[in-house]
Amino acid sequence: MNNLKGLLRIRIKRGVNLAVRDINTSDPYIIIRMGKQKVKTRIMERDVNPEWNEDLTIFVYNTELPIKLEVYDHDFFSTDDKMGDAEFDIQPFLEGLKMNLKSVPSGTIITRIKPSKSNWLAEESCITWRDNVVVQELCLRLRNVECGEVEIELHWIDVPGCKLV
């Protein structure tokens, strides 16, 4: 646990208008990478608007590293096709975690992040105090592909003996 800051739970909610890579459809799955770590969702067969609602958890050692999200189309008889990718920074989310929010009402928006050329946001992202935890919802526009967005949600998990600061 040397240098471990905590765990980041990434809820992969859904894909919207993902690219077609098979005949009229795709079999998408998502890979999340941070540094040398890699986690993967299950494959959603024949669905360009999949609803994963799947939690992936990664160890956070270096809070400066971006998180990379890649979408692929699963193929049985050939190499999986790439369906786009995006990156996101967890620094604004981590700043929200450092705030003293115990007396703030649930549902309070802490920070809003607007889409820009330096991020892959398809729409404004809100970092919210909800049910005594900080949560960030993101809708990421996929790059290197003709269309597609992925909606995710970030949650932090404290690990005893580890400090975020």
Side-chain angles (χ1 to χ4, degrees), residues 22-133:
D22 297 331
I23 300 169
N24 299 323
T25 193
S26 291
D27 305 308
Y29 65 93
I30 292 177
I31 293 176
I32 298 283
R33 298 176 195 268
M34 184 179 198
K36 295 181 180 179
Q37 293 179 80
K38 175 177 144 179
V39 290
K40 180 177 134 178
T41 65
R42 67 191 184 280
I43 297 164
M44 302 297 280
E45 293 184 10
R46 296 178 299 284
D47 197 345
V48 293
N49 293 293
E51 302 239 358
W52 279 280
N53 291 314
E54 186 171 337
D55 289 337
L56 303 176
T57 303
I58 56 175
F59 295 91
V60 177
Y61 294 97
N62 182 348
T63 59
E64 303 292 322
L65 289 176
I67 297 179
K68 298 177 182 178
L69 179 146
E70 302 166 316
V71 184
Y72 289 91
D73 170 51
H74 176 71
D75 289 322
F76 287 101
F77 301 110
S78 63
T79 305
D80 291 353
D81 302 310
K82 196 158 186 188
M83 296 174 63
D85 61 273
E87 272 185 22
F88 60 95
D89 178 16
I90 61 171
Q91 287 304 316
F93 175 69
L94 298 177
E95 290 304 315
L97 290 172
K98 294 175 186 175
M99 295 178 176
N100 182 7
L101 301 167
K102 297 295 181 204
S103 62
V104 174
S106 183
T108 300
I109 295 174
I110 302 165
T111 308
R112 295 175 192 268
I113 303 163
K114 298 208 178 292
S116 70
K117 291 182 180 180
S118 64
N119 63 39
W120 306 115
L121 294 175
E123 57 191 47
E124 185 176 78
S125 173
C126 292
I127 300 171
T128 307
W129 177 249
R130 186 170 68 204
D131 300 325
N132 294 320
V133 294

